[in-house]
Amino acid sequence: MGEAVPYHEHPIVMEVADWTFIDATMDNEIQGLREQQWESKGAPHWVKMTEMAESIRQAGWDQLPDWPETYDGLQSWPPPGMTQAMKLTARQWGLVVSSLERWATVGAEEESSNEATNLRIAALIRDRFTGQATVRCPPSDLNGDSGGAALDQMT
């Protein structure tokens, strides 16, 4: 099986409400990555991972042009059942999956009600990505290994 083209986008259809959860998870992830970046005195790996996490949030905003700009606007958006084919690169999807799974672990330790949602969305992405993947995709993780394992299990 060959390697994925680094910048090829893979569309995954999902409920926009799930994407808003991914957006919030990536916001948390960015904060953690910035802390790692600061502690490592700007090590290139953490800078690159932070930039990738930020690019995931930006991609969502770009693909959902009616994304509300205020907290109050988000309270009634998106409409129930609204779906969108969200497009990210394989590495971006890998970071999303690893972030959702990592935050599920954090949620379990803190008895958060988000653990099941994190795992459900991660499984949805794995399932839908695997259904369309024809190549081995390069994953992303937060353990200092740019090869990682998040998408390895998807293909």
Side-chain angles (χ1 to χ4, degrees), residues 7-151:
Y7 300 106
H8 176 75
E9 292 181 333
H10 301 270
I12 295 182
V13 177
M14 65 178 56
E15 288 200 22
V16 174
D18 287 346
W19 183 264
T20 64
F21 193 86
I22 290 169
D23 181 76
T25 301
M26 296 314 298
D27 185 49
N28 291 339
E29 197 68 13
I30 289 166
Q31 298 310 311
L33 287 166
R34 285 183 180 149
E35 186 175 307
Q36 291 289 340
Q37 194 175 335
W38 182 79
E39 289 175 1
S40 70
K41 296 179 175 53
H45 171 78
W46 297 113
V47 172
K48 186 175 180 180
M49 294 300 288
T50 303
E51 289 170 353
M52 186 184 314
E54 290 168 342
S55 76
I56 291 165
R57 291 192 78 201
Q58 186 63 53
W61 299 333
D62 292 346
Q63 293 174 58
L64 296 164
D66 58 340
W67 186 282
E69 295 182 18
T70 65
Y71 176 80
D72 289 339
L74 276 170
Q75 301 314 299
S76 60
W77 187 89
M82 180 180 174
T83 60
Q84 175 77 23
M86 301 304 293
K87 298 173 189 168
L88 297 176
T89 66
R91 285 192 184 270
Q92 287 173 316
W93 282 123
L95 182 55
V96 168
V97 168
S98 63
S99 298
L100 287 165
E101 291 174 344
R102 190 171 80 74
W103 284 97
T105 302
V106 170
E109 292 168 1
E110 297 176 358
E111 298 181 21
S112 166
S113 62
N114 292 332
E115 176 187 7
T117 303
N118 283 59
L119 295 175
R120 178 186 60 76
I121 297 171
L124 175 139
I125 293 168
R126 282 184 191 282
D127 180 59
R128 294 191 180 163
F129 190 93
T130 302
Q132 64 175 291
T134 58
V135 295
R136 181 178 171 91
C137 297
S140 300
D141 74 14
L142 304 178
N143 298 319
D145 174 14
S146 62
L151 286 174

